[in-house]
Amino acid sequence: MKYAGEAHSLKVEKVLFQGKSDYQNVMVFQSSTYGKVLVLDGVIQLTERDECAYQEMITHLPLCSIPNPKKVLVIGGGDGGVLREVSRHSSVEQIDICEIDKMVVDVSKQYFPDVAVGYDDPRVKLHIGDGVAFLKAVPEGTYDAIIVDSSDPIGPAQELFEKPFFESVAKALRQGGVVCTQAESIWLHMHIIEDIVANCRQIFKGSVNYAWTTVPTYPRHILITFPSPCDKLLLSYLIVSPPPPIFSLGVIGFMLCSTEGPLVDFKHPVNPIDKDECCCKSKRPLKFYNSEIHSAAFCLPSFAKKVIESKP
Amino acid sequence: MKYAGEAHSLKVEKVLFQGKSDYQNVMVFQSSTYGKVLVLDGVIQLTERDECAYQEMITHLPLCSIPNPKKVLVIGGGDGGVLREVSRHSSVEQIDICEIDKMVVDVSKQYFPDVAVGYDDPRVKLHIGDGVAFLKAVPEGTYDAIIVDSSDPIGPAQELFEKPFFESVAKALRQGGVVCTQAESIWLHMHIIEDIVANCRQIFKGSVNYAWTTVPTYPRHILITFPSPCDKLLLSYLIVSPPPPIFSLGVIGFMLCSTEGPLVDFKHPVNPIDKDECCCKSKRPLKFYNSEIHSAAFCLPSFAKKVIESKP
């Protein structure tokens, strides 16, 4: 076998945490080549190795597209990675986060200090609760930017991809404010993406764009366990493998929309991240994001472009 | 399970072909969601669903970067997919292909007619043999473009990534001619990519660039089989899963280099593919490639940019 020399490097080295919150099963394990891995209800949420791509892109695509963002809301993102990225922006004065599951926050602080470091920023205010309800209570026009770091739109997070939620988001944004929301993979979910784009076009009267990037461990894999007698033999192989029918497609997309008001040209960032900002406050430099990759993220393969641009 | 509704769609529906050539084991199976799949020595080479990304990018990145390519050599690529893409270019007069394994050609013609359709072009001349030896016999300055559609640089194809081979390529190219060669994944193989870049910088005196794209089933997965008693239960699950330690990273890269002579600016294609050309001769339209995605392919994540641009 071509890669036989590396044959043991991906197995689950050690399960570090297993717990059950009011909302889900939470698990952390140590892998060899992807560092520590956070798993919620059997679905990989982040790995230390590739979390940079997702966190940096979902944050800086919106925040670098508007001048001087001041008030930012994060919905979901309890691990703190998006907060870490938001806090690179010195113009920001207020960072609210609404995460439903406190166990995710606590586990991240304990096992992923380089991700949860986002909580150390004094501008951050954590609200434990339901994002949909939180948004409804937000006074109109409050935020410059809202980042929705949700799980997939199949299952519990479904309403985060539907019109009433987008309407609440639009209301909570100032004129010309921006939202960035996780929006699945063009290789597998074009039918879902079509619907999201159509919904967004109806709600957001500024610009509506689809961007994408590469994250090796996305779409988030699902754990498989087998009944014995194969259980023990296989768990270490399967725990990091995609189950049928989910190939690890390795790409994730984002919807980037703005409300009526000053037009936002997402493809040409007006608020580049300064190199000094990237490294300040003992945070690591940016690993993935840069202005070139920002613009490139909006270039779609022909098959996706055709579908997305044809939406009314 | 979140995706339970699709739970059977990736299993191996039927093994269509199994054979052993002088060089490797060749297998074709029918999958549900990725169409037919070609496997060589246990490594997935192409699937009907996503072959477009790889074939279109490895071909049009070089051919759209120079005006009027006339003579093109393909090394490897026995399935015919790269030929299909080359033949979209009406300026091309001669398409040579050197593939070592005739069984790959025959199997592709039988099971992947939409890929092997490339062989129908009368400009194509097939040479069965070793690419390295073929290149050595080529008169200096023969080709405008050479496309190396090889397997990975670990194992038998290793010499296709080393200096002597690149020297032969450079010699076989005209002044200002271009080469495009499969160059692994930035998520996993930065150490290999560093070496390839360093080698190319020494050999190719024009420009040397790294580009990348998304292909869900790359890097090519390796089949796993288990001894009984789990064998039958698991084969259908595992056959399309990445084994340890290879995550399906979903991206593949290309080295794009030019020889001394008229400078080639790969990032700004001078020879865009005309829409009419895309659809002529009853070939399907381009699914993946367009001029925007061409330029975007050269925008690298910061971690890769740093390494690649720092190479002498």
Side-chain angles (χ1 to χ4, degrees):
Chain A
M1 278 211 321
K2 213 169 255 192
Y3 294 91
E6 306 175 314
H8 295 289
S9 51
L10 250 204
K11 70 174 184 186
V12 177
E13 291 207 327
K14 199 178 174 185
V15 173
L16 301 173
F17 176 86
Q18 285 200 80
K20 193 170 163 53
S21 74
D22 291 345
Y23 302 95
Q24 53 204 343
N25 290 301
V26 180
M27 178 182 157
V28 178
F29 71 85
Q30 180 72 46
S31 73
S32 301
T33 52
Y34 273 71
K36 290 200 282 286
V37 180
L38 174 65
V39 181
L40 300 179
D41 273 351
V43 181
I44 290 180
Q45 300 297 311
L46 66 84
T47 79
E48 286 183 316
R49 179 157 173 189
D50 70 2
E51 55 93 12
C52 63
Y54 177 76
Q55 319 269 25
E56 293 181 15
M57 292 297 272
I58 198 173
T59 305
H60 303 306
L61 286 176
L63 293 189
C64 294
S65 295
I66 53 173
N68 293 309
K70 286 193 170 63
K71 294 186 179 185
V72 179
L73 170 63
V74 180
I75 293 178
D79 56 62
V82 171
L83 299 177
R84 177 192 69 204
E85 297 305 318
V86 175
S87 74
R88 293 185 197 270
H89 290 263
S90 55
S91 69
V92 170
E93 294 164 359
Q94 178 183 335
I95 311 172
D96 291 329
I97 173 167
C98 185
E99 161 64 47
I100 202 166
D101 192 345
K102 189 169 178 297
M103 189 182 280
V104 173
V105 180
D106 295 339
V107 161
S108 185
K109 285 182 176 172
Q110 186 171 355
Y111 295 98
F112 299 90
D114 294 341
V115 178
V117 66
Y119 285 105
D120 295 349
D121 191 304
R123 296 169 291 180
V124 170
K125 190 166 175 197
L126 170 62
H127 308 261
I128 297 292
D130 173 47
V132 175
F134 181 88
L135 252 191
K136 279 186 187 150
V138 166
E140 216 166 303
T142 297
Y143 294 104
D144 299 284
I146 296 176
I147 297 167
V148 186
D149 178 13
S150 73
S151 52
D152 298 323
I154 305 160
Q158 188 167 345
E159 61 178 320
L160 300 184
F161 294 82
E162 291 175 349
K163 266 199 254 181
F165 178 73
F166 288 138
E167 278 164 1
S168 302
V169 168
K171 248 181 69 184
L173 286 171
R174 67 157 168 85
Q175 288 202 327
V178 293
V179 61
C180 180
T181 178
Q182 190 267 101
E184 300 302 297
S185 166
I186 53 169
W187 281 108
L188 195 62
H189 306 115
M190 275 315 294
H191 55 295
I192 300 176
I193 294 168
E194 274 191 76
D195 291 345
I196 300 175
V197 170
N199 287 343
C200 287
R201 289 247 160 86
Q202 284 178 37
I203 307 294
F204 295 100
K205 299 303 180 191
S207 60
V208 172
N209 298 269
Y210 190 85
W212 63 317
T213 193
T214 160
V215 182
T217 52
Y218 281 13
R220 311 159 191 231
H221 307 172
I222 300 165
L223 301 181
I224 311 177
T225 52
F226 283 92
S228 56
C230 308
D231 212 35
K232 282 177 203 163
L233 172 67
L234 289 166
L235 186 61
S236 70
Y237 288 89
L238 288 169
I239 205 162
V240 289
S241 294
I246 305 303
F247 258 63
S248 168
L249 307 177
V251 300
I252 192 87
F254 308 101
M255 283 305 304
L256 285 139
C257 310
S258 68
T259 54
E260 208 165 5
L263 194 68
V264 179
D265 179 2
F266 284 104
K267 296 174 192 173
H268 301 97
V270 294
N271 182 31
I273 291 200
D274 189 88
K275 279 200 174 155
D276 295 336
E277 283 180 322
C278 302
C279 315
C280 69
K281 294 169 195 157
S282 69
K283 276 191 292 285
R284 62 162 180 73
L286 289 169
K287 281 187 195 166
F288 193 91
Y289 178 90
N290 56 54
S291 294
E292 284 175 21
I293 212 122
H294 178 125
S295 296
F298 293 90
C299 299
L300 303 178
S302 299
F303 73 87
K305 199 175 148 118
K306 213 168 98 185
V307 173
I308 288 171
E309 290 180 359
S310 72
K311 279 285 120 186
Chain B
M1 280 210 320
K2 213 168 259 191
Y3 296 90
E6 307 175 314
H8 295 288
S9 49
L10 249 203
K11 70 173 184 186
V12 177
E13 291 207 326
K14 199 176 175 186
V15 173
L16 301 172
F17 177 86
Q18 284 199 83
K20 194 170 162 54
S21 75
D22 292 344
Y23 302 96
Q24 53 205 341
N25 290 301
V26 179
M27 177 181 157
V28 177
F29 70 84
Q30 179 73 47
S31 72
S32 301
T33 53
Y34 273 72
K36 289 200 281 286
V37 180
L38 173 65
V39 181
L40 300 179
D41 273 350
V43 180
I44 290 180
Q45 300 296 311
L46 66 83
T47 78
E48 287 184 315
R49 178 157 174 189
D50 69 3
E51 54 92 12
C52 63
Y54 178 77
Q55 319 268 25
E56 292 182 15
M57 293 297 274
I58 199 172
T59 305
H60 303 305
L61 285 176
L63 294 189
C64 293
S65 296
I66 54 173
N68 293 310
K70 288 195 167 61
K71 294 187 179 183
V72 179
L73 169 63
V74 180
I75 293 178
D79 54 63
V82 172
L83 299 176
R84 177 192 69 203
E85 296 305 317
V86 174
S87 74
R88 294 185 196 270
H89 290 263
S90 56
S91 68
V92 170
E93 295 165 358
Q94 178 182 335
I95 311 172
D96 291 329
I97 174 167
C98 184
E99 161 64 48
I100 202 165
D101 192 345
K102 189 168 178 298
M103 189 183 280
V104 173
V105 179
D106 295 338
V107 161
S108 185
K109 285 181 177 173
Q110 185 171 354
Y111 294 98
F112 299 90
D114 294 341
V115 178
V117 64
Y119 286 104
D120 295 348
D121 190 303
R123 295 168 291 180
V124 169
K125 190 167 176 197
L126 170 62
H127 308 260
I128 296 293
D130 174 46
V132 175
F134 181 88
L135 252 191
K136 279 185 187 149
V138 165
E140 214 165 304
T142 298
Y143 294 103
D144 298 284
I146 296 177
I147 296 166
V148 186
D149 177 13
S150 73
S151 52
D152 299 322
I154 305 160
Q158 187 167 346
E159 61 178 320
L160 299 185
F161 294 82
E162 290 174 353
K163 265 198 258 183
F165 177 73
F166 288 138
E167 277 163 0
S168 302
V169 168
K171 248 181 70 184
L173 285 172
R174 66 156 167 86
Q175 288 201 327
V178 293
V179 61
C180 180
T181 176
Q182 189 268 102
E184 302 301 299
S185 165
I186 53 168
W187 281 110
L188 195 63
H189 306 114
M190 275 315 295
H191 55 295
I192 300 174
I193 294 168
E194 274 190 77
D195 292 346
I196 299 175
V197 171
N199 286 343
C200 287
R201 289 247 160 85
Q202 284 177 38
I203 308 294
F204 295 99
K205 300 302 183 194
S207 61
V208 172
N209 298 269
Y210 190 85
W212 63 316
T213 193
T214 161
V215 182
T217 53
Y218 280 12
R220 309 157 193 233
H221 306 172
I222 300 165
L223 301 182
I224 311 176
T225 52
F226 284 92
S228 56
C230 307
D231 213 36
K232 282 178 201 161
L233 172 66
L234 289 166
L235 187 63
S236 69
Y237 287 89
L238 288 167
I239 204 162
V240 287
S241 295
I246 305 302
F247 256 63
S248 169
L249 307 178
V251 302
I252 193 87
F254 308 101
M255 284 305 305
L256 285 140
C257 309
S258 69
T259 55
E260 208 164 3
L263 193 67
V264 178
D265 179 1
F266 285 104
K267 296 172 193 176
H268 300 98
V270 295
N271 182 31
I273 291 199
D274 189 87
K275 280 201 175 157
D276 294 336
E277 283 180 322
C278 302
C279 315
C280 68
K281 293 165 196 160
S282 69
K283 276 192 293 285
R284 63 160 179 75
L286 289 169
K287 280 187 195 167
F288 193 90
Y289 178 89
N290 55 55
S291 293
E292 283 175 23
I293 212 120
H294 178 126
S295 297
F298 293 89
C299 298
L300 302 178
S302 299
F303 74 88
K305 197 175 149 118
K306 213 168 97 183
V307 173
I308 288 171
E309 290 180 0
S310 72
K311 280 283 120 187

